[in-house]
Amino acid sequence: TEFYMSLDAAKISEDKFIAFCKDITWKKITEEALIKSEEKYRELAELLPQIIYETDLKGNLTYINQQAFDMAGFTREEFENGINVFNFLDHEDRNRAIENFEKVLTGNTIESNEYTIITKDGSRLPVLIFSRAIQKGDKVTGLRGGIVDISDRKRSEILRTIQRDIGMTISESHNLKDALDKILNALLKLKEIDSGGIYLINEPGGELILSSHRGLPQDIVEELALVKSDSFRAQLVKKGEIVYGNRQEILKKNSSYKHNWYSSIAVIPLKFEGNIIGSCNLASRKVDEFSDHTKIVLETIVPQIGNVIGRFKAQIALKESEDKLSTFMDNFNGITYQVKMKGVDDYEFCMFRGN
């Protein structure tokens, strides 16, 4: 039979020692079981599609699984050099996260919370974070929890909201300007976007007319209210391609572009029945580059906007035509009629007006 012992000895004279032996077999068995359990926990954590993390009392990461490296983009060397979990949160979320962190450490139960994390490449990722205190005996040593990427869910939610708002535009708007304003208000619900404008092409000259805008500096509105058909901006739209960029990239393509009020911009052509009818120009002062989440939403929504604007303009043109016809009929001093043909020799009068 094998067993474990601890041995403590002390010298009591030149040729004598006293020793104390203690059976620690149960302690060793418990420690080995704990190590095996910890290994199984780590193996399971590495297989999960969510981030699993542990921190000390100050929020410094002491363990993360492989998904954390894949999602956040940092290296193992950076992790080993020390990473604080709060440094990866959006600035607007940090104070709330610290408050919740401290509540959990003091024994409070906090439900999962939504935050935005900033990955190493600057991308913004909406996540759901849940955590529990790590206890060793009666002592709290840190936090353990999980981080779930909720990009798809958030994208679906914002898509439904914007689509609903845009879908109601035609029925609730009194004129084209009102409709365009409602469309822009819907797009500004995207967190990264804080300003923008909708341009419509003025036929037959081809100029771009700023028909609605939100959050733009007044000098920009005055300068860009009309964009000539042969200008860099107009040619960009008429190519029919979506353009994303930051201030530096725009300057490289067009050195005369001097505006510096935005950090990133998106220029998305508006199409109706295959024809370019304008563009939706959106900007941000918050981020240097729009996230994939924002780009996917925009590229899903903007084609619908082109159709809404096209249909709305068609309805306006039809109403104007009907009003002109009605005015003509009311002022025509004669007899007018409309005949509906049912066959070669079969017809009926369906409208008869006159004096």
Side-chain angles (χ1 to χ4, degrees), residues 164-344:
R164 180 200 64 206
D165 292 349
I166 292 174
M168 297 171 64
T169 297
I170 291 181
S171 61
E172 295 186 349
S173 300
H174 304 293
N175 51 57
L176 181 58
K177 176 66 167 60
D178 186 34
L180 297 178
D181 289 345
K182 284 184 169 66
I183 289 171
L184 263 184
N185 289 338
L187 290 174
L188 290 178
K189 290 180 179 178
L190 286 167
K191 192 172 182 180
E192 293 179 356
I193 297 172
D194 49 37
S195 56
I198 295 178
Y199 282 90
L200 296 180
I201 293 178
N202 182 40
E203 299 296 350
E207 304 91 350
L208 292 174
I209 307 296
L210 183 59
S211 304
S212 178
H213 59 85
R214 286 287 185 275
L216 299 178
Q218 187 56 36
D219 60 327
I220 299 298
V221 173
E222 293 173 358
E223 180 180 343
L224 303 182
L226 185 145
V227 179
K228 294 181 179 180
S229 60
D230 59 351
S231 68
F232 167 77
R233 300 183 191 90
Q235 294 304 314
L236 198 64
V237 171
K238 292 176 183 179
K239 284 183 179 179
E241 299 174 357
I242 298 174
V243 176
Y244 296 106
N246 55 39
R247 188 164 52 247
Q248 287 72 28
E249 291 171 343
I250 297 296
L251 284 171
K252 286 179 183 178
K253 295 178 181 179
N254 181 24
S255 59
S256 65
Y257 195 75
K258 60 182 183 297
H259 303 297
N260 60 5
W261 58 272
Y262 68 91
S263 297
S264 57
I265 192 169
V267 179
I268 308 177
L270 297 171
K271 297 181 181 180
F272 179 63
E273 296 181 346
N275 299 313
I276 297 174
I277 61 172
S279 71
C280 187
N281 296 14
L282 302 166
S284 175
R285 300 178 182 87
K286 304 173 185 176
V287 297
D288 291 330
E289 182 179 355
F290 288 127
S291 65
D292 290 339
H293 165 79
T294 296
K295 290 178 181 178
I296 291 172
V297 172
L298 289 176
E299 290 168 24
T300 303
I301 290 293
V302 171
Q304 300 174 35
I305 293 174
N307 290 330
V308 167
I309 294 173
R311 291 198 302 269
F312 198 91
K313 291 178 70 176
Q315 287 186 2
I316 292 174
L318 177 60
K319 187 176 185 307
E320 289 176 350
S321 177
E322 290 175 342
D323 289 343
K324 288 179 181 179
L325 177 60
S326 178
T327 301
F328 170 78
M329 297 285 285
D330 290 339
N331 291 281
F332 180 65
N333 190 21
I335 298 174
T336 59
Y337 60 90
Q338 181 178 336
V339 177
K340 182 177 181 181
M341 301 298 298
K342 296 182 177 180
V344 177

